[in-house]
Amino acid sequence: MASIDILTNRFYSYDKMYSQELREQTFADWPFREECNCTPEKMARAGFVHCPSENEPDVACCFFCLIELEGWEPDDDPWSEHVKRSPNCGFLTLRKDFTELSVADFYHVEKERLKVYL
């Protein structure tokens, strides 16, 4: 699944979303900022990208397991919500930061991520 513009289209190129920085950039219009627990940085760290719809401005989707969560509250912890709703997500079990993965590690992780699409 690819997009014309990775940061403005709901259909992101999810294979590029291993980068926390790119995930964080998708939260440009995220309604929760300072003094909230679900800031763009924390959302991105938990594997989410912002996928708003016209009626739901706070939809976030995990780039790895594709779970979509909405109805965020300022005190919600993104990592805890992700674990609670999708405990078997491969992103949650990564033992290393993406930048520390070897090529073999990456291929293994990517193989697992692509199983979600089957």
Side-chain angles (χ1 to χ4, degrees), residues 16-101:
K16 307 274 190 270
M17 290 296 140
Y18 280 100
S19 165
Q20 180 175 329
E21 182 180 334
L22 284 179
R23 290 193 307 271
E24 193 170 333
Q25 289 175 18
T26 69
F27 287 91
D29 296 324
W30 185 243
F32 302 101
R33 296 291 171 172
E34 292 87 30
E35 299 182 27
C36 292
N37 204 27
C38 54
T39 62
E41 180 185 356
K42 290 180 181 179
M43 295 295 289
R45 192 176 311 130
F48 291 110
V49 294
H50 189 205
C51 307
S53 69
E54 206 171 291
N55 297 327
E56 298 293 338
D58 70 339
V59 177
C61 178
C62 173
F63 84 98
F64 200 97
C65 70
L66 303 180
I67 189 168
E68 287 189 1
L69 301 179
E70 61 184 41
W72 291 91
E73 298 290 331
D75 292 334
D76 287 340
D77 176 56
W79 193 272
S80 296
E81 292 298 323
H82 197 167
V83 170
K84 190 182 331 177
R85 307 275 196 279
S86 186
N88 297 319
C89 175
F91 176 79
L92 298 173
T93 61
L94 284 177
R95 301 281 185 244
K96 302 176 186 176
D97 183 83
F98 174 69
T99 59
E100 299 170 350
L101 295 177

